[in-house]
Amino acid sequence: MNRINQKLNESHKLLSIYFTAGYPNTNDTVTIIERLEKSGVDMLEIGLPFSDPLADGPTIQASSTEALKNGMTSELLFEQLKDIRKTVSIPLIIMGYFNPMLQYGVEAFCKKCQEVGIDGLIIPDLPVDVYHSEYKSIFEKYGLINVLLITPQTSEERIRYIDSVSNGFIYMVSSASVTGSNSGFGNTQTDYFKRIADMKLKNPQIVGFGISNNETFKQATAYGKGAIIGSAFIKYITTNGIDDIDKFITSIRPKS
């Protein structure tokens, strides 16, 4: 069973962290992964930096720009991750845009993901229809889960189609904005979370965008299986470095 599915079967609410590979420094990638696992994070999204990250707000855009300056590429990321499964057991997902994967070669990219122990991909700009018709068989050949996104504007018909195509979890974007742009959730988002929960989809939902502290984590997981934090974590390591990652994670989900 894929590590993502194993993790989704656990009873508690899941905390996933996004960070940009190669940021703050080129060789921080593995250290950050190892420290996040030790701090109790359930799942990780490794951001593959791209020059035109359409869904990302200024914080993640800035980290991507810096990572690209640091020399981060798909090839370098795979080289950094080649021994990651010797020390890390939680699910690892690469989140990035389709252009670098297309340039690398989709099948070659998926094969490399399998070789280093990646469990899934999140590709915001790969439409579900194109994925389903052209790439689903390749992803499945290499044991990769493709995590698809929905927003408050996604129609019920399309949500059910995405659910039928998915085999892991659905990334539930909290609002129609870029990452890092919200500081809390109002009634509109809460109603949206409840509406999706009431659809009784076969795939659990994990909420992303706008989660930055314990309060928003609780709000996001009231109806969903878990929550993803990206911009707030990147802001933290930008200010504090990577040595005290545990303090950030404890502020989101205090240890019992």
Side-chain angles (χ1 to χ4, degrees):
M1 182 186 285
N2 187 291
R3 293 180 193 89
I4 294 170
N5 296 121
Q6 290 176 348
K7 185 60 69 171
L8 291 167
N9 285 335
E10 295 180 7
S11 59
H12 65 281
K13 301 292 186 178
L14 304 183
L15 173 59
S16 181
I17 296 289
Y18 168 96
F19 74 97
T20 304
Y23 180 84
N25 300 297
T26 311
N27 294 319
D28 286 339
T29 309
V30 170
T31 304
I32 289 173
I33 293 171
E34 291 174 343
R35 288 180 180 174
L36 283 169
E37 179 174 52
K38 284 176 184 170
S39 71
V41 168
D42 296 294
M43 198 152 45
L44 290 182
E45 295 173 17
I46 304 164
L48 181 60
F50 180 53
S51 57
D52 191 20
L54 301 176
D56 296 318
T59 299
I60 293 178
Q61 282 190 22
S63 69
S64 288
T65 299
E66 194 64 29
L68 290 170
K69 285 180 184 173
N70 289 343
M72 182 51 63
T73 62
S74 301
E75 197 61 65
L76 179 55
L77 177 59
F78 288 133
E79 175 63 25
Q80 289 178 345
L81 296 178
K82 69 181 191 299
D83 295 320
I84 197 67
R85 287 303 174 192
K86 292 179 181 177
T87 56
V88 172
S89 61
I90 59 174
L92 299 176
I93 299 169
I94 289 179
M95 183 170 185
Y97 294 87
F98 196 49
N99 186 287
M101 299 175 194
L102 204 56
Q103 288 184 333
Y104 196 93
V106 176
E107 181 151 8
F109 192 93
C110 290
K111 184 172 187 287
K112 204 70 181 173
C113 284
Q114 183 188 54
E115 287 174 5
V116 302
I118 295 296
D119 303 291
L121 297 171
I122 302 173
I123 313 166
D125 60 343
L126 176 60
V128 58
D129 320 72
V130 177
Y131 163 70
H132 191 220
S133 62
E134 297 186 31
Y135 301 111
K136 190 170 189 280
S137 59
I138 297 174
F139 279 54
E140 290 177 345
K141 177 180 176 181
Y142 295 102
L144 295 170
I145 286 174
N146 184 33
V147 178
L148 296 161
L149 291 81
I150 64 171
T151 74
Q153 284 67 42
T154 309
S155 68
E156 180 172 342
E157 179 185 17
R158 193 160 182 83
I159 290 170
R160 293 202 181 277
Y161 174 54
I162 287 169
D163 189 42
S164 72
V165 171
S166 301
N167 61 342
F169 67 90
I170 291 172
Y171 190 127
M172 190 159 68
V173 177
S174 67
S175 62
S177 61
V178 294
T179 56
S181 56
N182 292 331
S183 57
F185 298 125
N187 291 338
T188 303
Q189 277 100 8
T190 304
D191 291 345
Y192 160 57
F193 298 157
K194 185 178 186 303
R195 174 169 63 85
I196 302 302
D198 288 344
M199 289 177 68
K200 307 294 184 192
L201 303 175
K202 73 180 176 73
N203 292 277
Q205 302 89 55
I206 297 184
V207 180
F209 292 45
I211 299 138
S212 59
N213 52 35
N214 178 250
E215 180 188 358
T216 45
F217 178 77
K218 285 179 178 176
Q219 287 178 313
T221 56
Y223 295 101
K225 177 62 182 173
I228 301 156
I229 296 176
S231 296
F233 177 70
I234 290 173
K235 284 177 183 174
Y236 181 86
I237 61 173
T238 299
T239 303
N240 301 283
I242 66 171
D243 291 333
D244 292 318
I245 284 172
D246 187 66
K247 287 182 183 176
F248 177 82
I249 300 306
T250 303
S251 75
I252 302 296
R253 189 173 62 181
K255 294 175 181 174
S256 53

